[in-house]
């Protein structure tokens, strides 16, 4: 009887990491934005600035993430990152004014920057040769699961208790999950006396590494293209998603309806990530990126029709956004794997994720600024649609450039 592979336990720990460091501080936090605005009298720009500050800190955290993980192991590093999320929610729970919310947002940025896809991608690269994209997708589903369960729970707690109580309860839950992560996560197969999953089918390699299949790296032109793609994806996946709640609030949707919309999108994101991983393993990163990117583009274009308050259009928006979002969150890991040699993978994924964080930072306040100017969040989603169309073109060109370089 074949023994259960511990790498799948590490995947579960990875799910918890991304549930906290991406799901609670980013996707789940978006539900709080209208309540913070109403409860504390913040303007649209001030509310958006909380997202901006989180993105700013996460950007600088990612710049230093190589040094960080040279000093501590991934297990310890992501444990600290997850604990930062708990601290941020405690600060939100005691905040009386805008400055303390800013401090909480800054600490949540540390959580996102030090504990999101970069360490988890490296971890899955160590543990898996076979089914690597699926393993990444399973881990990435953590943020989608947070988007499913947190909006209705958060809304019910805020409406039934108070916003302070909701922040406090969520912070306690984060600390408990952090303890589980530290208990079960392992840095590499060597710590359990194992080899990477599927390594026996790829030939012998050094312990903790995967078998090299390519000897080329990104050309300058491909780097420029993928830098633009990562920049656009950062704007789409972070500010784009974070402002969905205020988009629908500004168009007159009921708070519980908005919670259902966000939660349903989370269901589809989770499903979409699992589908994306399996499809990518079967048809490759280029085709899957164009396929799922096209679906996401449809979703953003439908966001621009939110003013119609049409049930069918809203349902189609949820479906398209959920199925399409995996390209934004998992895409950089897949592109780094496809376009670089194994020894360069950590460097490439780190750089793509830093640029991704830069995109989130640069555009974090844009939706609020445009809303203050035009009286609507719709222009922001028109802009995001244009960004995504350009990103899909650049992805196709970058893969063509990489293929040409491989043949030289």
């Amino acid at each position: 009887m074949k023994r259960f592979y511990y790498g799948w336990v590490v995947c579960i720990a990875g799910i918890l990491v991304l549930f906290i460091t991406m799901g609670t501080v980013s996707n789940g936090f978006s539900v709080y934005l209208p309540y913070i605005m109403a409860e504390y009298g913040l303007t649209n720009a001030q509310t958006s600035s909380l997202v901006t500050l989180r993105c700013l800190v996460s950007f600088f955290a990612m710049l230093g993430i190589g040094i960080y993980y040279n000093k501590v192991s991934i297990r310890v590093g992501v444990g600290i990152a997850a604990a930062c999320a708990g601290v941020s929610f405690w600060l939100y729970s005691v905040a009386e004014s805008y400055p303390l919310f800013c401090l909480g947002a800054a600490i949540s940025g540390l959580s996102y920057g030090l504990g999101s896809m970069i360490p988890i991608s490296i971890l899955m690269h160590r543990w898996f040769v076979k089914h690597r994209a699926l393993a990444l997708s399973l881990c990435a589903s953590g943020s989608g699961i947070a988007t499913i369960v947190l909006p209705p729970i958060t809304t019910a707690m805020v409406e039934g208790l108070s916003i302070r109580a909701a922040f406090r309860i969520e912070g306690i839950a984060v600390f408990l999950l952090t303890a589980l992560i530290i208990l079960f996560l392992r840095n590499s197969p060597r710590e359990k006396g194992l080899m990477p999953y599927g390594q026996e089918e790829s030939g012998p390699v050094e312990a903790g590494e995967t078998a090299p299949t390519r000897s080329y790296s990104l050309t300058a032109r491909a780097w420029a293209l993928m830098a633009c793609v990562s920049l656009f994806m950062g704007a789409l996946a972070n500010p784009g998603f974070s402002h969905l709640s205020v988009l629908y609030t500004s168009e007159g949707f009921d708070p519980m309806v908005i919670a259902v919309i966000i939660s349903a999108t989370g269901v589809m994101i989770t499903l979409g990530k699992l589908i994306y991983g399996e499809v990518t393993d079967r048809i490759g990163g280029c085709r899957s990126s164009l396929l799922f990117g096209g679906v996401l583009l449809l979703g953003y274009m439908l966001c621009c029709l939110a003013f119609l308050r049409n049930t069918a259009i809203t349902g189609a928006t949820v479906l398209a956004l959920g199925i399409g979002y995996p390209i934004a969150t998992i895409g950089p890991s897949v592109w780094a794997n496809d376009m670089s040699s194994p020894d360069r993978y950590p460097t490439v994924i780190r750089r793509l994720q830093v640029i991704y964080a830069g995109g989130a930072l640069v555009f974090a306040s844009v939706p609020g600024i445009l809303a203050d100017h035009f009286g609507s969040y719709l222009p922001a989603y028109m802009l995001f649609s244009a960004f995504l169309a350009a990103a899909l073109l650049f992805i196709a060109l970058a893969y063509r450039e990489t293929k040409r370089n491989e043949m030289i």
Side-chain angles (χ1 to χ4, degrees):
M1 182 176 178
K2 192 173 182 180
R3 193 173 72 170
F4 178 77
Y5 186 62
Y6 193 82
W8 298 114
V9 176
V10 176
C11 272
I12 295 172
I15 290 171
L16 295 180
V17 171
L18 296 185
F19 180 94
I20 295 172
T21 62
M22 292 181 70
T24 64
V25 305
S26 179
N27 298 356
F29 182 71
S30 66
V31 179
Y32 286 105
L33 294 180
Y35 292 108
I36 292 172
M37 191 185 304
E39 183 85 11
Y40 298 94
L42 273 60
T43 66
N44 286 314
Q46 284 178 318
T47 305
S48 288
S49 73
L50 298 179
V51 179
T52 303
L53 187 55
R54 184 190 74 225
C55 294
L56 177 65
V57 174
S58 67
F59 175 73
F60 284 108
M62 286 184 182
L63 284 177
I65 201 170
I67 298 172
Y68 178 71
Y69 282 106
N70 282 335
K71 298 292 184 181
V72 300
S73 68
I74 288 182
R75 183 185 184 189
V76 172
V78 298
I80 293 172
C84 285
V87 172
S88 71
F89 279 101
W90 178 79
L91 287 171
Y92 293 144
S93 74
V94 299
E96 295 285 351
S97 59
Y98 176 64
L100 200 52
F101 274 108
C102 288
L103 179 59
I107 294 177
S108 74
L110 281 177
S111 179
Y112 191 103
L114 298 177
S116 53
M117 285 300 295
I118 295 176
I120 296 304
S121 296
I122 295 171
L123 202 61
M124 292 304 103
H125 206 77
R126 291 177 182 175
W127 277 91
F128 291 89
V129 173
K130 187 179 180 182
H131 296 312
R132 183 178 291 157
L134 177 60
L136 269 172
S137 297
L138 284 170
C139 292
S141 69
S143 61
I145 294 170
T147 312
I148 297 169
V149 302
L150 292 180
I153 293 175
T154 297
T155 302
M157 287 194 299
V158 173
E159 298 280 354
L161 299 173
S162 68
I163 190 171
R164 293 182 186 279
F167 280 133
R168 193 172 298 115
I169 292 169
E170 191 164 342
I172 293 170
V174 166
F175 285 126
L176 293 175
L177 292 177
T178 300
L180 291 177
I181 291 167
I182 295 173
L183 182 62
F184 290 106
L185 190 143
R186 294 295 181 270
N187 294 299
S188 73
R190 284 176 293 180
E191 294 185 5
K192 299 293 290 186
L194 300 171
M195 294 191 303
Y197 187 75
Q199 179 178 298
E200 64 279 1
E201 301 172 18
S202 304
V205 293
E206 292 293 323
E209 300 296 332
T210 57
T213 57
R214 298 171 304 279
S215 59
Y216 61 90
S217 59
L218 281 167
T219 65
R221 185 168 182 265
W223 260 120
L225 290 167
M226 294 313 300
C228 290
V229 170
S230 296
L231 189 76
F232 292 156
M233 289 300 173
L236 297 168
N238 213 302
F241 185 87
S242 296
H243 286 83
L244 282 176
S245 59
V246 287
L247 166 68
Y248 285 105
T249 297
S250 67
E251 297 303 327
F253 284 71
D254 181 79
M256 283 307 298
V257 172
I258 295 171
V260 171
I261 290 172
I262 302 298
S263 183
T265 304
V267 172
M268 297 312 304
I269 286 174
T270 304
L271 178 61
K273 285 177 178 177
L274 298 178
I275 295 172
Y276 180 78
E278 186 63 25
V279 170
T280 300
D281 280 332
R282 290 178 179 273
I283 69 173
C286 181
R287 291 179 181 177
S288 66
S289 294
L290 296 178
L291 174 62
F292 283 79
V295 174
L296 183 59
L297 176 58
L298 173 63
Y300 271 103
M301 292 172 68
L302 290 174
C303 283
C304 299
L305 301 178
F307 67 93
L308 295 176
R309 301 185 200 174
N310 182 278
T311 302
I313 291 177
T314 303
T317 304
V318 167
L319 181 65
L321 289 177
I323 295 295
Y325 262 126
I327 185 182
T329 53
I330 309 173
S333 301
V334 172
W335 303 326
N337 184 70
D338 287 350
M339 299 185 189
S340 64
S341 55
D343 61 315
R344 294 287 297 166
Y345 178 82
T347 299
V348 174
I349 183 58
R350 185 168 64 245
R351 289 177 180 175
L352 290 180
Q353 287 287 356
V354 166
I355 297 169
Y356 176 98
L361 170 63
V362 170
F363 292 99
S365 294
V366 169
I369 293 171
L370 291 176
D372 283 337
H373 184 75
F374 292 103
S376 171
Y377 283 89
L378 296 178
Y381 284 85
M382 295 177 187
L383 181 63
F384 290 149
S385 298
F387 285 166
L388 184 51
L392 294 179
L393 174 62
F394 293 165
I395 289 170
L397 292 175
Y399 268 98
R400 187 175 69 174
E401 175 72 13
T402 301
K403 185 175 180 180
R404 182 184 299 130
N405 185 47
E406 182 184 14
M407 296 172 64
I408 295 175

